[in-house]
């Protein structure tokens, strides 16, 4: 079922469709774009259509209410928006369907940050080139915050020997249920296990390996550990380093969780148990929770064969708010024709400066360092 009457050739309307516009990130992206005078169209499923229409009216735009991913793809094919943001999650299953619906000529971005969905979309590079479409995956804090630091540290330098990146998002949570998309990502992290690059090849490692106890530039502390995140893939592509590791604050860092995670992952790899775990977790209730640290941080350490070592940081505020800002910057850039045909991570397409345009601040070896109180030491 659809609620729309508009139709046009690919990109003719200049519209940017936001799939999952009722969510926190989707709603924030719509507000960013509307403030720039662009045309965000809010897209959602039946059951929340009235609320979606009310929000669209407040922004001076319109809503498209449609059932299911296949219905969304059909409407994209029929109406031909210029840009589509996939914010509905479950990217391993939805990204390729929706990206192909944008072709030829339309552009696509999503918020995926895992090692299943991101490679699948990047594999569409040649298809997107032939279609004249730009596809961008990882358009959020996840991927860009560390990718951008690696790009900056490696600029004008030879290929490094080793890279480590650490994604340290700090996120406030609103009361509600966990939801199926987030539950599936947590379970899939357990079942996939750890990954790293050794001798230029991605290999398996223990989930929760490479434990880091980091002192942040503002004086706060954060723990992170290895997990199958797309920051790993983006860092290797940006640096070409043969040895790459990636950690995240979202990975299990306590001794107990790191000990039981591999066994839990093997158990949850049994599909009926996986489905049961996702259903149970999706229904779990969350309460309002402030973000655990003042800032979110992307961090990278790059080492060259001669022993030279450089370290850098990207500072952002709430990780979800920064994701919305990144997604809006990518969407507006694609709408203005700043992309090029193919499939990319955001830093690979737009460069490290995208991280700053979205509101981040680099702290690199040749820049000033903020003191714990927020003042700048120079």
């Amino acid at each position: 079922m659809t609620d729309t009457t508009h139709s046009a050739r690919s990109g003719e309307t200049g519209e940017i469709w936001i799939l999952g516009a009722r969510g926190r990130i989707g709603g924030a992206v719509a507000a960013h774009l509307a403030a720039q005078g662009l045309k965000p169209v809010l897209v959602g499923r039946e059951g929340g259509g009235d609320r979606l229409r009310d929000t669209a009216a407040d922004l001076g735009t319109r809503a498209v209410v449609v059932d299911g991913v296949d219905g969304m793809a059909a409407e994209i094919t029929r109406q031909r928006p210029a840009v589509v943001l996939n914010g509905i999650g479950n990217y391993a299953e939805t990204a390729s369907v929706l990206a192909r619906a944008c072709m030829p000529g339309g552009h696509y971005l999503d918020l995926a940050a895992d090692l299943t969905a991101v490679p699948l979309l990047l594999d569409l590079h040649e298809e997107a080139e032939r279609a004249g479409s730009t596809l961008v995956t990882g358009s959020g804090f996840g991927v860009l915050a560390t990718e951008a630091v690696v790009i900056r540290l490696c600029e004008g330098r030879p290929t490094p020997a080793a890279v480590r990146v650490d994604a340290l998002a700090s996120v406030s949570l609103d009361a509600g249920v966990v939801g199926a998309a987030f539950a599936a990502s947590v379970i899939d992290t357990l079942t996939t296990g750890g990954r790293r690059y050794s001798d230029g090849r991605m290999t398996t490692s223990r989930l929760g390996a490479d434990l880091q106890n980091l002192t942040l530039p503002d004086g706060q502390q954060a723990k992170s550990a290895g997990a199958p995140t797309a920051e790993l893939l983006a860092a290797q592509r940006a640096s070409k380093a043969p040895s790459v590791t990636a950690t995240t604050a979202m990975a299990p860092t306590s001794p107990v969780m790191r000990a039981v995670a591999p066994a839990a992952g093997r158990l949850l790899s049994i599909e009926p148990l996986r489905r049961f775990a996702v259903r149970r977790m999706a229904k779990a209730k969350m309460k309002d929770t402030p973000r655990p640290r003042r800032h979110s941080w992307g961090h990278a350490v790059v080492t060259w064969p001669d022993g030279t070592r450089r370290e850098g940081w990207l500072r952002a505020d709430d990780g979800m708010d920064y994701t919305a800002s990144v997604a809006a910057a990518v969407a507006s850039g694609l709408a203005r024709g700043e992309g090029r045909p193919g499939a990319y991570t955001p830093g690979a397409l737009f460069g490290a400066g995208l991280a700053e345009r979205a509101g981040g601040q680099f702290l690199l070896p040749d820049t000033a360092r903020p003191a714990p109180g927020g003042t700048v030491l120079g």
Side-chain angles (χ1 to χ4, degrees):
M1 175 180 177
T2 63
D3 176 22
T4 182
T5 58
H6 193 82
S7 178
R9 294 190 302 273
S10 178
E12 185 175 285
T13 64
E15 290 179 339
I16 302 173
W17 282 24
I18 302 173
L19 280 54
R22 289 183 60 206
R24 172 178 169 180
I25 292 176
V29 173
H32 279 297
L33 296 175
Q36 298 176 48
L38 297 172
K39 301 178 181 178
V41 172
L42 311 189
V43 184
R45 298 173 179 175
E46 285 292 342
D50 289 341
R51 178 181 167 190
L52 197 69
R53 294 183 192 95
D54 290 343
T55 302
D58 291 340
L59 292 174
T61 184
R62 68 188 185 99
V64 174
V65 180
V66 61
D67 283 331
V69 174
D70 290 339
M72 291 178 180
E75 281 304 302
I76 293 167
T77 299
R78 187 176 78 83
Q79 299 198 47
R80 313 312 303 167
V83 179
V84 171
L85 163 62
N86 175 5
I88 62 177
N90 197 16
Y91 298 110
E93 296 183 12
T94 64
S96 296
V97 173
L98 295 170
R100 285 192 167 108
C102 296
M103 300 181 200
H107 309 306
Y108 167 93
L109 66 145
D110 66 35
L111 313 177
D114 63 87
L115 277 178
T116 301
V118 168
L120 287 174
L121 195 81
L122 294 176
D123 284 345
L124 299 180
H125 181 77
E126 293 183 358
E127 185 176 343
E129 281 188 314
R130 292 191 298 269
S133 293
T134 305
L135 316 179
V136 188
T137 185
S139 301
F141 177 88
V143 177
L144 180 62
T146 54
E147 178 189 33
V149 180
V150 173
I151 292 171
R152 280 288 170 89
L153 292 176
C154 292
E155 282 176 342
R157 294 173 178 264
T159 301
V163 171
R164 191 190 86 231
V165 294
D166 308 298
L168 310 167
S170 183
V171 175
S172 62
L173 300 175
D174 297 329
V177 297
V178 170
F182 183 72
S185 69
V186 172
I187 299 301
D188 288 346
T189 294
L190 289 171
T191 59
T192 302
R195 293 290 188 273
R196 66 174 65 198
Y197 278 93
S198 299
D199 296 324
R201 300 181 62 183
M202 189 180 293
T203 61
T204 59
S205 63
R206 184 184 179 89
L207 182 65
D210 303 306
L211 180 66
Q212 303 294 318
N213 292 283
L214 293 162
T215 299
L216 308 175
D218 62 1
Q220 292 193 293
Q221 304 288 316
K223 290 185 177 181
S224 63
T229 67
E231 282 92 346
L232 176 72
L233 177 62
Q236 200 283 326
R237 288 166 68 104
S239 67
K240 305 297 189 293
S243 175
V244 183
T245 58
T247 78
T248 171
M250 304 299 289
T253 57
S254 73
V256 173
M257 286 300 298
R258 294 173 68 225
V260 304
R266 289 192 295 270
L267 189 63
L268 293 171
S269 295
I270 303 170
E271 188 56 30
L273 293 179
R274 178 190 176 279
R275 290 196 299 267
F276 174 77
V278 169
R279 287 197 301 269
R280 288 294 299 271
M281 181 178 288
K283 296 176 182 177
K285 293 183 178 180
M286 300 185 298
K287 59 184 179 180
D288 285 328
T289 306
R291 62 182 190 237
R293 295 176 299 279
R294 287 188 291 269
H295 303 293
S296 297
W297 297 93
H299 178 233
V301 178
V302 181
T303 306
W304 280 267
D306 65 359
T308 301
R309 180 181 182 273
R310 300 186 83 213
E311 179 180 14
W313 301 82
L314 180 83
R315 182 177 65 191
D317 290 326
D318 184 285
M320 291 184 71
D321 293 342
Y322 186 69
T323 289
S325 184
V326 171
V330 172
S332 61
L334 294 177
R336 290 192 296 265
E338 296 173 0
R340 60 183 183 272
Y344 308 90
T345 52
L349 179 62
F350 291 110
L354 175 67
E356 291 178 307
R357 292 196 295 276
Q361 179 186 359
F362 285 109
L363 303 176
L364 301 173
D366 54 351
T367 62
R369 177 185 177 96
T375 58
V376 174
L377 302 178

